Amino acid sequence: MLINRFQDLNLKGDIFGGVTTAIISLPLALAFGVASGAGAEAGLWGAIMVGFFAALFGGSNTLISEPTGPMTVIMTAILTSMMAKYPETGLAMSFTVVIMAGIFQILLGTLKLGKYVTLMPYSVISGFMSGIGVILIILQLSPLLGHSAPPGGVLGTITALPTIFANISYNELLLGVLTLAVLFFFPKQYRKFVPAQLVALIAVTLLSVFLFDTDSIRRIGEIPAGLPSLIIPNFNSEMLTAMVIDALVLGTLGCIDTLLTAVIGDSLTRKEHDSDKELRGQGIANVISGLFGALPGAGATMGTVTNIQVGAQSPLSGIVRALVLALVVLVAGGLTEPIPMAVLAGIAVYVGFNILDWSFIQRAHKVSLQSMAIMYGVMFLTVFVDLIVAVGLGVFISNIIIIEQLSRAQARQVKAISDADNDLPLTDNERAILERANGKVLFFYLSGPMIFSVSKAISRQHTSISDYQVMILDLSDVPMIDVTVGLALENAIKDALDAYCEVLLLCPHLDTRKRLQKLNVLSLIDSDNHCTSREQALKLALSHVSR
């Protein structure tokens, strides 16, 4: 199976794709490593390990995996929380959460749940992704202005802003602003040849070397050239529940980030990825990354798109990219020493700005006020409350709204009439038979899948059952019903029988019939009254009326 993924090998395109995406990844990995609080080396090794093992074991041939903005935001919160409570073991506990998140992803892939991960309303996805973008921007305000990130995450940063603004390091602010200027205004025609992030990193770093002394501004310092140390997983009974929840959040976000990127890749390559295999590959990659104290990662949209555009066709590109980055760390780690922290903060702010779903934000109010409210609500909760609360509440409210809309549409498919209404799917002969009943036959017609929200419509339609002698329950166009609808039909049948109204059933769909049988609804109707066609049911009804 592993060999099959390399069948589309394009040596030139794959190598070029790997080198190009390595160049793109370098400044981002450094920025995310510093932004998370784990250090630049954690970001670089995360890009190497996640990229290598996800490419090797994943289910998409051209997906590039690395630490991403959303994953970094969650990892920053985990590190900050753990280190504040447990200064000695907090780091090991944080990367234990990464390992647990990877195991969760492997489990999702093994259980073949990949296709369900992204089944959530776009307004919710847009809201929490934009919220993560806002968080990333807020958390980088302090480093951009020349200070270390204050404790307390978003709220801590907002609270500390007056102090931060009162003590701005204008040297670092200048470097940060220059970085953002390069990123936002670098000409588009040149971006296809060299990434703006790399240009900003090199140009502003060189400028800082000429303008400022080494000690006058905060710099990364030299990255250790050796292999990363192994992290022994550390569990704490007091924090176990929090660690599990953090792992679920991190793992789920990684799944969503990866699979959405894989779908974008599919649209460019016209090929279909294996969602379950991709989740297993991402899980393996994050487990290994956590074991070595490296940042967790997921599918990266910019790297993936670039990889495909330069001609990559197989996982070799992801492997080459990881090897190029490893070479940089092991051989040229000293080159990172003069990079200013403000430059990396500027790059992280730019990433946060791009994570914001500007396309949906600009038109959400035109699409639907409900979608807009959900999107902004999820964004607010993501920034100021909690990601799980935001997504959970957003999905719940969205589903309630969708169910309400579906119930209105399905209620129109519940019809109970006694004359030959044009809305009914009856032939001319069947209409004539119904007309001959002189309003004594209630034709109770349902169509489409029937879910619990339709039960009220069913109850409303048979309230005047005592006015009829026969009720035909036509379920021939109902492929599926749920328990609530089955029980509502049971009540309708019982009400009819109590009113001495004969009940005829037309239910050819096997799944619908099985559900009614399990609920013992079929036993309420005489076996002679189970019909196989509308014409048979109408003729039988007419014979009952004639009596």
Side-chain angles (χ1 to χ4, degrees):
M1 291 294 289
L2 192 61
I3 296 174
N4 291 341
R5 298 184 61 231
F6 290 87
Q7 286 180 343
D8 296 327
L9 187 70
N10 174 16
L11 199 59
K12 180 181 176 181
D14 290 335
I15 291 175
F16 189 40
V19 173
T20 305
T21 51
I23 293 170
I24 292 173
S25 294
L26 181 62
L28 293 176
L30 290 169
F32 289 147
V34 172
S36 70
E41 63 274 16
L44 279 174
W45 280 111
I48 293 165
M49 292 184 175
V50 173
F52 182 85
F53 291 104
L56 193 62
F57 297 110
S60 174
N61 287 354
T62 52
L63 190 75
I64 295 298
S65 299
E66 61 187 355
T68 62
M71 296 291 276
T72 301
V73 166
I74 303 303
M75 191 61 193
T76 303
I78 293 170
L79 272 167
T80 303
S81 173
M82 295 295 181
M83 291 296 291
K85 293 182 179 179
Y86 302 96
E88 294 183 1
T89 60
L91 189 66
M93 290 169 66
S94 298
F95 287 108
T96 302
V97 170
V98 176
I99 296 169
M100 292 164 66
I103 293 171
F104 174 62
Q105 290 178 316
I106 295 171
L107 184 63
L108 282 180
T110 304
L111 295 176
K112 300 189 181 299
L113 299 176
K115 58 182 174 291
Y116 301 111
V117 171
T118 54
L119 287 180
M120 64 173 67
Y122 186 79
S123 55
V124 176
I125 294 176
S126 174
F128 88 77
M129 291 301 281
S130 294
I132 284 170
V134 171
I135 291 173
L136 193 53
I137 292 170
I138 292 173
L139 293 181
Q140 294 310 302
L141 289 177
S142 182
L144 196 67
L145 298 172
H147 297 273
S148 299
V154 170
L155 295 178
T157 299
I158 293 174
T159 305
L161 280 179
T163 304
I164 293 170
F165 278 115
N167 298 280
I168 294 176
S169 170
Y170 289 99
N171 292 343
E172 297 202 33
L173 177 60
L174 173 64
L175 296 177
V177 170
L178 287 174
T179 301
L180 287 169
V182 173
L183 293 170
F184 279 107
F185 300 110
F186 190 66
K188 288 184 178 179
Q189 62 265 33
Y190 299 126
R191 289 177 186 258
K192 63 178 73 174
F193 303 110
V194 58
Q197 290 89 340
L198 187 65
V199 173
L201 182 72
I202 294 174
V204 182
T205 297
L206 289 174
L207 187 64
S208 74
V209 171
F210 290 117
L211 291 179
F212 307 113
D213 295 333
T214 303
D215 298 329
S216 61
I217 59 172
R218 297 172 308 125
R219 301 180 187 270
I220 287 183
E222 187 174 352
I223 293 177
L227 293 170
S229 302
L230 188 68
I231 297 287
I232 305 300
N234 191 302
F235 294 93
N236 183 305
S237 57
E238 184 183 343
M239 291 293 291
L240 185 59
T241 301
M243 290 174 72
V244 170
I245 292 173
D246 287 340
L248 293 178
V249 172
L250 193 63
T252 302
L253 182 59
C255 292
I256 294 170
D257 214 358
T258 295
L259 296 184
L260 289 177
T261 303
V263 169
I264 294 171
D266 289 348
S267 68
L268 296 173
T269 60
R270 299 292 186 269
K271 294 183 179 179
E272 192 171 342
H273 72 280
D274 184 332
S275 296
D276 298 316
K277 190 174 182 182
E278 185 59 52
L279 292 189
R280 291 196 296 271
Q282 293 288 332
I284 292 169
N286 281 318
V287 167
I288 295 172
S289 189
L291 282 170
F292 287 94
L295 289 191
T301 303
M302 184 169 65
T304 300
V305 172
T306 303
N307 191 41
I308 294 168
Q309 287 176 341
V310 299
Q313 295 181 11
S314 80
L316 179 63
S317 60
I319 294 171
V320 169
R321 170 194 158 280
L323 294 177
V324 170
L325 287 174
L327 191 66
V328 169
V329 175
L330 295 174
V331 177
L335 295 177
T336 63
E337 187 173 354
I339 297 175
M341 292 291 200
V343 172
L344 297 180
I347 292 173
V349 167
Y350 180 71
V351 171
F353 184 84
N354 285 327
I355 290 175
L356 290 168
D357 190 0
W358 293 110
S359 174
F360 193 67
I361 289 173
Q362 290 170 354
R363 56 185 170 171
H365 62 285
K366 298 177 183 177
V367 176
S368 163
L369 289 176
Q370 291 174 334
S371 295
M372 183 185 72
I374 290 171
M375 189 268 288
Y376 282 114
V378 171
M379 184 192 298
F380 179 84
L381 290 173
T382 300
V383 175
F384 295 105
V385 183
D386 179 73
L387 181 66
I388 284 186
V389 172
V391 173
L393 198 57
V395 169
F396 176 76
I397 294 173
S398 296
N399 286 340
I400 291 295
I401 292 171
I402 291 169
I403 288 169
E404 192 269 336
Q405 292 171 342
L406 281 174
S407 66
R408 284 204 308 265
Q410 287 184 323
R412 291 193 290 269
Q413 304 303 318
V414 179
K415 299 169 184 175
I417 58 175
S418 57
D419 55 10
D421 191 291
N422 289 329
D423 287 343
L424 287 178
L426 298 177
T427 64
D428 291 340
N429 187 40
E430 290 165 352
R431 290 177 192 278
I433 298 172
L434 183 57
E435 289 288 353
R436 286 163 55 193
N438 295 322
K440 296 300 182 182
V441 172
L442 180 67
F443 196 92
F444 201 176
Y445 173 74
L446 286 73
S447 66
M450 292 284 123
I451 59 174
F452 61 91
S453 55
V454 189
S455 58
K456 287 185 178 179
I458 293 172
S459 300
R460 285 196 302 268
Q461 291 288 4
H462 76 275
T463 51
S464 59
I465 191 65
S466 58
D467 297 336
Y468 303 96
Q469 294 181 17
V470 182
M471 180 177 76
I472 299 174
L473 185 56
D474 185 357
L475 305 179
S476 54
D477 291 328
V478 178
M480 179 273 291
I481 62 171
D482 74 354
V483 173
T484 309
V485 174
L487 295 175
L489 291 175
E490 179 186 38
N491 290 333
I493 294 168
K494 285 181 176 179
D495 289 347
L497 295 175
D498 289 343
Y500 301 102
C501 178
E502 197 78 23
V503 179
L504 310 182
L505 177 66
L506 183 59
C507 183
H509 280 280
L510 189 60
D511 289 343
T512 304
R513 199 170 185 84
K514 281 182 178 178
R515 176 56 58 90
L516 293 176
Q517 193 167 18
K518 287 179 179 178
L519 292 171
N520 292 322
V521 174
L522 294 184
S523 62
L524 298 174
I525 303 171
D526 292 341
S527 58
D528 292 338
N529 288 351
H530 288 240
C531 304
T532 56
S533 70
R534 289 193 180 106
E535 187 169 345
Q536 179 196 358
L538 287 163
K539 286 180 178 178
L540 184 58
L542 194 61
S543 69
H544 284 293
V545 170
S546 301
R547 294 173 195 169

